[in-house]
Amino acid sequence: MVRLTARFLMAVRNQDTANFMRDGKKIVGVALNYMDVVKARNVPVPKEPLVFLKPTSSYLREGHPIILPKVFSKVAYEVELGVVIGTRCKNVSKQDAMKHVSGYCLALDLTAQCNLTAARAAGHPWTLGKGFDTSTPVSKFIPFDDVEDPHTLPLWLKVNGEVKQKGCTADLIFKVPDIISYVSKFMTLEPNDLILTGTPNGSDAFKAGDEIECGMGELATLKFQVCGE
């Protein structure tokens, strides 16, 4: 009976969060969270997650183009595992964090590097360079039970058919429970919130006219045309 109840509750949770793009209140991103990126940039390993926020107005469904704002001169792709929160949590432990996950998605965290470089140098927020319209393309919802282990998922990204990023979530510095527990110390995570867990090495600029394709194991693929504003 306990097992049936657990399955039933998970099914309800999945159903409630399948429309995370429509119902979510926030997108939480984590920067510099892959060991290969740290090594490639020759920077110190972060001691705690480097967290930023994106507005839900940045979501983009497949079938619609990525639009590069004319105010930016250099926008880069970042392929990522997205984690969809299923139940409200605050000050949750690492041990209990996964109980609040309803599922996953494949995501792109598009980043205006021209803006972020200047923002970092001046100590300014990353909001404009991370949160512009169409900067968070995502796949359909992937139920929790469809992913045996979120830390063994291969990620890849191609631009115009050429592989640009190739990595695995096993290389995450802060794992999914680490991120959820850490963020929940500062803000309540609510159903349909999305956590972007970071990107492997290889992030680089793209331009109008390009075609971006990415995938996460056998679970999801995405393809987008890129247009200028």
Side-chain angles (χ1 to χ4, degrees):
M1 179 63 71
V2 173
R3 290 183 179 178
L4 289 174
T5 301
R7 288 198 198 101
F8 176 76
L9 291 174
M10 180 62 76
V12 171
R13 192 194 319 176
N14 287 350
Q15 185 177 15
D16 288 345
T17 54
N19 292 314
F20 67 94
M21 288 180 62
R22 182 193 68 195
D23 300 328
K25 293 183 178 180
K26 58 184 172 290
I27 302 169
V28 180
V30 181
L32 204 64
N33 197 30
Y34 273 78
M35 191 58 70
D36 62 348
V37 175
V38 169
K39 292 178 180 177
R41 296 184 185 178
N42 194 28
V43 295
V45 177
K47 295 181 179 180
E48 57 189 24
L50 304 176
V51 176
F52 59 90
L53 293 176
K54 301 182 71 164
T56 56
S57 57
S58 67
Y59 275 136
L60 180 67
R61 294 182 184 275
E62 191 172 26
H64 300 273
I66 294 168
I67 300 175
L68 299 178
K70 56 187 176 183
V71 294
F72 294 143
S73 60
K74 186 178 182 182
V75 177
Y77 47 76
E78 298 183 8
V79 64
E80 313 205 358
L81 164 67
V83 179
V84 181
I85 297 298
T87 54
R88 187 178 186 274
C89 60
K90 173 68 174 176
N91 289 319
V92 67
S93 68
K94 295 178 184 179
Q95 292 74 24
D96 290 335
M98 295 304 291
K99 296 177 182 178
H100 298 278
V101 174
S102 64
Y104 307 91
C105 72
L106 171 63
L108 291 172
D109 174 25
L110 305 182
T111 303
Q113 292 183 339
C114 54
N115 180 274
L116 257 68
T117 299
R120 288 191 187 105
H124 291 169
W126 298 5
T127 306
L128 299 180
K130 284 286 192 180
F132 60 91
D133 292 348
T134 77
S135 67
T136 315
V138 291
S139 72
K140 294 181 180 179
F141 176 78
I142 302 168
F144 183 89
D145 286 344
D146 288 358
V147 179
E148 184 175 350
D149 184 353
H151 305 108
T152 60
L153 300 175
L155 293 169
W156 57 266
L157 181 141
K158 298 179 181 179
V159 178
N160 302 325
E162 182 180 352
V163 176
K164 297 292 186 178
Q165 285 188 283
K166 192 173 184 180
C168 180
T169 55
D171 200 33
L172 284 168
I173 296 170
F174 299 102
K175 309 301 184 184
V176 175
D178 300 327
I179 299 169
I180 293 173
S181 178
Y182 179 80
V183 173
S184 75
K185 294 177 183 178
F186 301 91
M187 66 185 79
T188 300
L189 291 170
E190 300 175 284
N192 295 293
D193 285 348
L194 179 68
I195 295 176
L196 300 175
T197 56
T199 194
N201 193 39
S203 173
D204 205 351
F206 62 99
K207 62 186 185 304
D210 285 343
E211 179 183 78
I212 294 181
E213 186 177 6
C214 58
M216 185 167 66
E218 302 297 323
L219 295 169
T221 58
L222 290 171
K223 184 183 290 187
F224 293 93
Q225 303 299 318
V226 183
C227 301
E229 189 174 39

